[in-house]
Amino acid sequence: MSDARLIPFRPATEETPTTRLVLIGLAIGGLGLLVFGPLLIVFAEALAQGWGAAIAALSNPDAASAMRLTLIIAAIAVPLNAAFGIAAAWFITKFDFRGKAFLITLIDLPFSVSPVVAGLCIILMFGSNSLLGGWLVASGYPIVFALPGIILATMFVTFPFVARELIPVMIEQGRAEEEAALTLGASGWRVFATVTLPNIRWALLYGVLLSNARAMGEFGAVAVVSGKIRGQTATMPITIEMLYNEYLSVAAFSLAAVLTLLALLTLLLKTALELRHADQLAAARRP
Amino acid sequence: MHIEIDEISKQFGITAALHPVSLAIPSAALVALLGPSGSGKTTLLRILGGLEFPTSGRVLFDGQDATALTVQERRAGFVFQSYALFRHMTVFDNIAYGLTARPRANRPPRAEIARRVTKLLDLIQLPAVGTRFPSQLSGGQRQRVALARALAIEPRMLLLDEPFGALDAKVRKELRQGLRDIHDETGLTTIFVTHDQDEAMELADLVVVMSMGRIEQIGKPADIRARPASAFVRDFISA
Ligand SMILES: Nc1ncnc2c1ncn2[C@@H]1O[C@H](COP(=O)(O)OP(=O)(O)O)[C@@H](O)[C@H]1O
Ligand SMILES: [Mg+2]
């Protein structure tokens, strides 16, 4: 047949084999060095003296208290932030008003402010030296060096995640579907529950997972406001640091392994949901 | 339903989308709002549907002041320019939406809803697409589903924003006839927006020519052709 077939053919967007090898090597090497390697070391160190030592370290009352505290913080801060994030994104994308750009910048503020500074702000506002804090302590509701302060700090640090995931999605989707639902007689709440929420659920899920990961892992802001009271206000990341500084490496890494497992669990959950709802994900794309 | 637009104006900040306009639409008419992009057609349609509120003026439905009625109370079947089908719902659920959204007291039973949706799917000649998602339909099919969804609420009027805008010429011709048939069958006062003078002239009983937020001329297609009221109308309809 024609000689043209013999000419080596390569699509315009495809790189040469050497380039591809280098890129793939870099990607795998980078992932291995920066992600998988450290993860493996965490587990290896935790089990350096066998399962028994690791489990004993985790059953220590302070470790148990840290795990409980971290889960409680995530269970309170993440839903609250999801609600605030939805409200903020909804407000920003469905209404036109002055100062919108400023509000969007404000939402990003926690990303640009150092968590330590955020923690200090909370102490200045609610610490016993402040007017509000003094009154709260006197009435028996201390914020700083107690659970409420830790939750405030965590919420501050994780606030942008949900709103940031939602805003671009909601802008892209526009208001037409909501308006259509209104013309069909649905009330505002019904529109939110049956049109808005289903349309943003994947972005919402990602936002919640990200903010959950960060809520469980937050160190800086929490370190400042918690006072690091062992068995009371020391969260998992803070307890890990304290144990490590005391050369209790098995205990530190066992707790770190649990924190890592919690993170992996969230990832697994996300993947499972994606697989289960693959058809809906495909259908949810803009028609 | 007889619709009267009484000195309606609309400002968006410093932009005047509509200067005071007045217009009476007889019951059961098929009316085209015709004009170039930015002439205020969509704004006028949205004011009728209750999605936008006028800066001044009144809207009367059958002689009753309807200006303050909410979008839900207007009961206007609205077909959006990009159809705005609910992407996460099947075609069936899309069409049933207005019926299931009713308060429990006057919500039809499930079987009745199913019966009505099936009937509407037959009316738009798409009996087999109920289980599909909007993303699995062609542009013309989506437009017809949007029409069925609007009809499901037993609207008092039908408002369509560029209903054929996103379709190719052949499908557009077919659907024009489809809209005419549905209008004749339901007897609903129907107002559609278009920038295509052929479409307006061919389909509508009454054509309202708009330009820069003003009504240039109101008349039967033949009258507008024969006696354009302004140089703008003459140029626009001969384009
Ligand atoms: N929500 C809005 N905010 C600001 N200006 C608007 C808005 N909607 C429409 N306009 C302006 O009003 C004018 C008329 O718009 P529109 O009614 O959409 O025209 P048409 O549908 O005839 O193309 C345009 O100048 C448009 O930019
Ligand atoms: Mg328009």
Side-chain angles (χ1 to χ4, degrees):
Chain A
M1 297 284 280
S2 100
D3 290 340
R5 290 198 165 186
L6 300 173
I7 297 170
F9 164 79
R10 179 157 59 88
T13 53
E14 198 172 297
E15 307 302 334
T16 64
T18 342
T19 321
R20 268 189 288 166
L21 267 180
V22 170
L23 284 175
I24 292 171
L26 271 175
I28 292 179
L31 268 177
L33 203 67
L34 297 171
V35 181
F36 296 126
L39 275 184
L40 285 179
I41 290 175
V42 168
F43 288 101
E45 288 286 325
L47 299 174
Q49 290 166 31
W51 283 91
I55 288 169
L58 291 179
S59 341
N60 171 290
D62 289 352
S65 149
M67 287 191 272
R68 203 174 330 112
L69 183 61
T70 290
L71 290 179
I72 288 174
I73 290 165
I76 296 175
V78 173
L80 281 177
N81 258 353
F84 287 146
I86 292 172
W90 188 71
F91 188 61
I92 281 174
T93 55
K94 307 286 172 182
F95 294 97
D96 291 318
F97 56 91
R98 262 184 222 207
K100 201 169 184 168
F102 177 70
L103 193 64
I104 296 178
T105 316
L106 212 61
I107 285 178
D108 277 348
L109 194 69
F111 278 169
S112 34
V113 169
S114 158
V116 175
V117 174
L120 285 175
C121 292
I122 290 176
I123 291 197
L124 282 178
M125 259 189 85
F126 298 106
S128 49
N129 290 333
S130 77
L131 216 62
L132 183 62
W135 178 74
L136 283 166
V137 170
S139 350
Y141 296 104
I143 303 278
V144 169
F145 306 142
L147 185 64
I150 305 177
I151 287 173
L152 277 179
T154 308
M155 283 180 63
F156 179 87
V157 171
T158 58
F159 184 77
F161 286 105
V162 171
R164 281 203 122 200
E165 284 290 322
L166 293 185
I167 288 171
V169 173
M170 286 168 87
I171 287 178
E172 201 265 335
Q173 291 182 341
R175 309 173 195 179
E177 284 181 51
E178 274 94 353
E179 288 182 344
L182 290 173
T183 64
L184 294 168
S187 65
W189 277 112
R190 192 179 181 92
V191 173
F192 179 74
T194 59
V195 178
T196 312
L197 209 52
N199 273 344
I200 59 168
R201 63 189 155 185
W202 289 104
L204 181 62
L205 178 70
Y206 293 143
V208 164
L209 290 175
L210 282 174
S211 87
N212 182 56
R214 183 66 197 267
M216 293 195 301
E218 172 55 22
F219 181 83
V222 172
V224 176
V225 297
S226 71
K228 300 188 183 183
I229 308 167
R230 228 179 266 261
Q232 279 183 41
T233 65
T235 60
M236 281 175 85
I238 287 169
T239 308
I240 292 169
E241 198 234 5
M242 294 196 295
L243 291 170
Y244 186 77
N245 286 343
E246 289 154 17
Y247 303 104
L248 297 168
S249 121
V250 167
F253 279 104
S254 301
L255 210 51
V258 173
L259 198 55
T260 310
L261 280 178
L262 282 173
L264 291 179
L265 196 73
T266 358
L267 272 185
L268 214 68
L269 199 73
K270 178 188 138 216
T271 315
L273 279 169
E274 272 175 350
L275 283 178
R276 208 170 131 214
H277 297 288
D279 52 335
Q280 286 174 9
L281 261 178
R285 294 211 188 94
R286 197 172 192 76
Chain B
M1 191 177 66
H2 179 269
I3 299 170
E4 201 170 327
I5 293 158
D6 180 21
E7 295 286 306
I8 288 277
S9 75
K10 178 70 188 179
Q11 290 280 142
F12 290 108
I14 55 161
T15 330
L18 287 175
H19 299 284
V21 294
S22 293
L23 172 65
I25 295 169
S27 199
L30 179 52
V31 179
L33 299 181
L34 172 67
S37 171
S39 55
K41 310 178 297 288
T42 298
T43 305
L44 187 54
L45 199 73
R46 288 169 61 86
I47 287 174
L48 286 176
L51 288 168
E52 211 86 71
F53 285 90
T55 310
S56 69
R58 297 186 307 160
V59 181
L60 297 126
F61 293 165
D62 281 337
Q64 302 266 332
D65 192 336
T67 320
L69 291 188
T70 64
V71 50
Q72 291 96 342
E73 289 164 343
R74 302 261 173 139
R75 263 190 41 232
F78 207 110
V79 175
F80 289 78
Q81 191 163 7
S82 53
Y83 314 132
L85 294 175
F86 306 127
R87 70 194 82 186
H88 64 284
M89 290 181 206
T90 61
V91 166
F92 185 99
D93 290 339
N94 263 277
I95 298 176
Y97 188 88
L99 295 173
T100 44
R102 282 189 189 169
R104 200 173 297 265
N106 46 5
R107 188 187 308 159
R110 197 182 291 244
E112 169 65 12
I113 292 179
R115 196 187 62 79
R116 287 206 215 169
V117 172
T118 312
K119 210 172 131 204
L120 284 162
L121 283 169
D122 286 340
L123 180 73
I124 58 168
Q125 297 168 5
L126 293 172
V129 302
T131 55
R132 290 205 216 156
F133 284 96
S135 57
Q136 299 164 320
L137 300 179
S138 73
Q141 290 173 328
R142 278 178 213 160
Q143 195 262 3
R144 284 187 276 171
V145 171
L147 189 56
R149 182 179 69 175
L151 288 170
I153 60 166
E154 298 171 316
R156 298 199 283 176
M157 67 196 126
L158 208 48
L159 307 173
L160 306 98
D161 194 357
E162 308 258 1
F164 314 109
L167 305 169
D168 58 63
K170 185 172 163 290
V171 182
R172 197 183 294 201
K173 282 247 159 63
E174 284 169 24
L175 289 183
R176 264 185 217 176
Q177 192 53 45
L179 179 62
R180 179 84 234 181
D181 292 346
I182 283 171
H183 168 263
D184 294 349
E185 204 164 311
T186 58
L188 284 168
T189 311
T190 303
I191 304 171
F192 71 97
V193 161
T194 180
H195 59 258
D196 177 340
Q197 56 99 7
D198 271 343
E199 199 163 275
M201 296 297 188
E202 189 180 308
L203 194 54
D205 307 325
L206 194 67
V207 175
V208 178
V209 188
M210 296 183 65
S211 161
M212 296 168 61
R214 289 195 172 83
I215 292 179
E216 293 277 328
Q217 188 169 6
I218 305 169
K220 295 204 173 75
D223 292 344
I224 290 182
R225 273 221 184 81
R227 286 177 294 278
S230 64
F232 170 82
V233 176
R234 187 172 345 100
D235 287 352
F236 192 71
I237 59 170
S238 62

